[in-house]
Amino acid sequence: QVQLVESGGGLVQAGGSLRLSCSASGRTFSSYTMGWFRQAPGKEREFVAAISWNGGNTYYANSVKGRFTISRDNAKNTEYLQMNNLKPEDTAVYYCAVADAWGNKYDYWGQGTQVTVST
């Protein structure tokens, strides 16, 4: 059974940092694109960042570019999201996800971790 488990969320003041982790189990995802999404209250889920299977390519939403860094450790079947200079508008539930073999859609999702940024 495939499981993605996020950790590292919490409450932080504006300008602070958090590092999210997503640990995968049940299968190896070293050949697949992985990503992070977030959903704020009353809003639709939105893309945050993605990373190619070998880490050679990364993609970011404009709203987080320059502040967030996505990375992965295939030996640990884990991806990370380093979030710096956090803003109140970054407050959301953050989800990790794994794309299909073609990178067209995300097939596996974690349960989410809450990130709250206070002013």
Side-chain angles (χ1 to χ4, degrees), residues 31-75:
S31 300
Y32 298 87
T33 294
M34 299 183 76
W36 288 94
F37 292 75
R38 67 186 182 186
Q39 187 167 19
K43 296 187 176 181
E44 293 188 352
R45 185 172 59 195
E46 64 175 1
F47 168 78
V48 175
I51 186 167
S52 61
W53 69 276
N54 63 351
N57 292 295
T58 56
Y59 311 89
Y60 297 95
N62 287 336
S63 59
V64 307
K65 203 172 292 184
R67 300 187 298 121
F68 290 10
T69 302
I70 189 171
S71 61
R72 66 190 295 166
D73 184 339
N74 285 339

Side-chain angles (χ1 to χ4, degrees), residues 100-116:
D100 64 13
W102 298 270
N104 291 334
K105 60 181 177 68
Y106 287 85
D107 284 341
Y108 299 102
W109 294 84
Q111 83 290 348
T113 186
Q114 176 70 47
V115 171
T116 303

